[in-house]
Amino acid sequence: MATTSGKVRPGQGGPGRGASTDSASLFAGAALMLSGPLSILLGVTGIAQDTLFSPPGYVYRFDLTAWGWLHLAIGLALVAAGLGILAGRSWGRGAGIAVAGVSLITQFMFIPYYPVWSIVVMVLDLVIVWALSRFHTAAPGGR
């Protein structure tokens, strides 16, 4: 039998690597910290000036103040998930995927109100979900 060198291959868990944040998670945490405040700002704008967006005749037509509160709540959840990921918390990855998914759905519903903004945030949310779900560094000794 061949002996192993004891080196850890990139992307593999090893001694002292269980609590570290991999680069995909670091990117996703930073992206959540970008998407969250953007959503918060959109929410505050919708609450303060509910005539900013012209509501079209659309199936998902809500009062724009309601959209503002919805975006504010999602933005706060995005920031909390981003902080959880960057702090290396075990719940951060799952929360990040869930909240980015909810943000993606609400941005899809918001397309008629502000299409360019919604599509840009949808792409950011998709990249966040992809980054959080594609790679995971296993804790030492864990499966």
Side-chain angles (χ1 to χ4, degrees):
M1 276 200 120
T3 60
T4 59
S5 65
K7 292 183 180 178
V8 177
R9 285 182 277 159
Q12 301 294 319
R17 289 190 49 127
S20 67
T21 303
D22 58 73
S23 60
S25 293
L26 184 62
F27 167 78
L32 283 165
M33 295 303 293
L34 172 68
S35 182
L38 289 175
S39 222
I40 290 169
L41 291 173
L42 179 65
V44 169
T45 302
I47 293 167
Q49 298 178 352
D50 64 351
T51 58
L52 179 68
F53 308 113
S54 58
Y58 187 54
V59 118
Y60 303 116
R61 187 175 180 181
F62 296 127
D63 176 57
L64 290 175
T65 303
W67 274 116
W69 285 108
L70 182 66
H71 284 294
L72 181 64
I74 290 171
L76 292 172
L78 287 165
V79 169
L83 288 173
I85 290 168
L86 294 176
R89 301 290 183 222
S90 60
W91 53 267
R93 181 177 298 272
I97 291 171
V99 175
V102 168
S103 176
L104 179 91
I105 292 168
T106 57
Q107 290 298 331
F108 176 78
M109 294 168 55
F110 198 68
I111 285 176
Y113 294 92
Y114 213 56
V116 174
W117 176 274
S118 294
I119 291 170
V120 168
V121 176
M122 284 172 60
V123 168
L124 184 60
D125 289 337
L126 279 172
V127 171
I128 290 167
V129 169
W130 175 79
L132 289 175
S133 62
R134 71 173 282 279
F135 184 82
H136 180 65
T137 303
R143 292 185 182 227

